[in-house]
Amino acid sequence: MLEELLVNNVGSVKKASLEFKGNFIAITGESGTGKSSLIKSLEFITGQRAQVGIINSEETSCDVAILLSVDELANTDNLYKPEDGTIVVRRIFNSLGKGKCSVQGIIVPISTLHTILKDEIVIQNQFAQLGLLDPTKQLNILDSSSLDISLVQNIDTLSSQLNELIILEKTIIKKKKQQRDLEEKYQNSEKILSEIKKLFLNENSEELLNKELSLLESKNKEISRIKNILFQISPSQDGNIYEKIGYISRELSSIDTTEDKRVKTLAETAFISIQTLTLELEHILKNYSTFSEIEELKDKIEEKIGKIRQVKRKLNLNSCSDLINYYKQAESDIEWIKNSHNNIDIDEKSSSILKKNIAKLAFDIREERKILAKKLSEKVNKHLHDMAMEYAIFSVEINELDRITSHGAENISFNISINGQNPLPIHKNASGGELSRILLALQLSLNENNLPNTIIFDEVESGLGGKTALLAGYKLMELSKKCRTILITHEATIAAMSDQHFIVRKNEEGLSCVHEITGKDREEEIARMLSGDETSEEALNHAKYLLENPTSISFDI
């Protein structure tokens, strides 16, 4: 509940401090004295967009603060927890268009002010009637008239499940598209995947195969060279080295005159070495694969290299690493395709269950709203009758939709029937004064838990007069028993009903000053509002009577 308002340099108000003690509070003053600056201050502190023009022309900044009495703040964390049941909100704004907001001394973004105060303070002026014409606002008012929390719970559950359904439906569509795309991508892919599998690839397969092919070619060359050497030293060849060295060795052995025995020994050693070399080379050849075997291996390697290149061309890939990745991805995708049919079936069953639940919730919400519509209409009509609108019948029409939204499967319309005519939407069939009374009747029909802690009315009696203004005043007084009601008014009879009264005046410097008035000062202000002359004895007597009898005023006065 709003307890204090401190204003510095807003419009014509240089400095003002208002401490609210009553439940039904009137703020009055002649036109142009600065009452609108107080409204601007309240709009400013509750988070509405500020413009430089709000600042007093002689100053470079403005500053507004409020003190709220509240046990806890809705929609906030413990960071802004009230201390001793109070909370301080402050906002500063300068001529450069820069500002600063704080809650409990903690700097916050301006959006936080709106979040914190939207359920605490409501400023209601003639523009609030426009909000009353909004179908969404009307639906919120209807739902707020319920004392049963099950409606709110059902709406929350409906919204949550509908959002879940939307996400699930999108998931199903996405899975089906992915399923179609992958099935198309891997259509007739069994053969090529089998080919890749048989290749037993690693990232360096081509490089290793080419190296292996090169080694085999080198072996073939080595075999050819060894065979050629053996051919040269083979005993079966005429004039070969083996035979020549044998001849030399025999000749040297038959020459008796040779004195150097070492020559004979060398010849014999050479002959034996040739024999040994022949045996070694023949042994090497035995350990080598045959030429045909090597050629066969080469053919197999070249065939494998050819298959690798062929598969790469088919798939438009550049490397064995790409082939391996393709194969792994294909295996994963094909496995996904196999499982996707069952997964989609599960999702579709879940979707079907959700749709049934949502339909049931929507039906329950509609039935509850039908009951609420009847009860709300009865309450509003009673209040309208008390405010001299007995000629009008208010009704809530429920229009069923062919779809379910997060709020339900219907729209509603606030209708009014005038003098027995067919009911029409209130914006087509009600005047400004009638709209004011309808809005007030709706607020009176809500339970306390769905009302803000403080409502500020800015000339709500505009368009009303005489008896209707007086009756509206009684209803405002009735509303003040549910929440603190602050009224900026020009209507004397309504101001006289208040239990606290502030006046706004201009001083000699042309600045607005705000003071609480009681006793004689208040009698003079009511007299001024009645006749325009606070010194008129008749007006003062009338004012005194109004103040002494705020709840028993006769319409004949």
Side-chain angles (χ1 to χ4, degrees), residues 291-305:
F291 186 79
S292 62
E293 287 174 339
I294 291 174
E295 288 298 318
E296 185 178 346
L297 284 172
K298 284 174 60 182
D299 290 342
K300 288 181 179 179
I301 291 170
E302 287 172 346
E303 182 183 1
K304 187 172 182 178
I305 292 172

Side-chain angles (χ1 to χ4, degrees), residues 220-375:
N220 262 346
K221 290 178 181 178
E222 289 174 1
I223 290 170
S224 296
R225 293 173 69 185
I226 290 171
K227 283 183 176 181
N228 183 53
I229 292 169
L230 284 173
F231 177 79
Q232 296 296 325
I233 63 175
S234 174
S236 61
Q237 297 295 322
D238 293 337
N240 59 67
I241 294 174
Y242 183 85
E243 186 179 276
K244 289 177 180 179
I245 291 177
Y247 169 77
I248 293 168
S249 179
R250 288 193 300 274
E251 285 295 310
L252 289 172
S253 297
S254 64
I255 300 174
D256 296 332
T257 59
T258 303
E259 293 179 359
D260 192 350
K261 300 295 183 181
R262 190 168 61 86
V263 173
K264 289 182 179 182
T265 301
L266 287 171
E268 290 173 355
T269 300
F271 183 75
I272 293 169
S273 294
I274 289 298
Q275 287 181 316
T276 303
L277 177 61
T278 300
L279 292 172
E280 287 295 325
L281 291 174
E282 288 175 346
H283 178 71
I284 290 171
L285 283 178
K286 286 180 182 179
N287 289 334
Y288 271 114
S289 301
T290 63
F291 186 79
S292 62
E293 287 174 339
I294 291 174
E295 288 298 318
E296 185 178 346
L297 284 172
K298 284 174 60 182
D299 290 342
K300 288 181 179 179
I301 291 170
E302 287 172 346
E303 182 183 1
K304 187 172 182 178
I305 292 172
K307 285 182 178 178
I308 292 172
R309 291 174 179 172
Q310 185 182 33
V311 173
K312 285 197 301 183
R313 283 195 300 271
K314 284 182 181 178
L315 298 174
N316 195 28
L317 299 175
N318 297 318
S319 66
C320 287
S321 178
D322 291 341
L323 281 177
I324 292 167
N325 291 334
Y326 173 85
Y327 184 82
K328 289 179 179 178
Q329 186 63 50
E331 276 190 322
S332 174
D333 289 343
I334 291 170
E335 184 66 23
W336 185 91
I337 292 170
K338 290 177 182 177
N339 296 328
S340 66
H341 297 281
N342 184 53
N343 291 337
I344 290 173
D345 286 343
I346 292 172
D347 287 345
E348 287 180 334
K349 287 177 183 177
S350 298
S351 173
S352 178
I353 293 170
L354 268 176
K355 287 176 181 177
K356 289 179 182 178
N357 291 342
I358 288 169
K360 174 67 167 54
L361 281 167
F363 177 80
D364 291 344
I365 290 168
R366 178 180 294 162
E367 292 304 302
E368 176 67 16
R369 281 174 173 162
K370 286 179 181 178
I371 296 171
L372 286 176
K374 184 178 179 181
K375 290 181 178 179

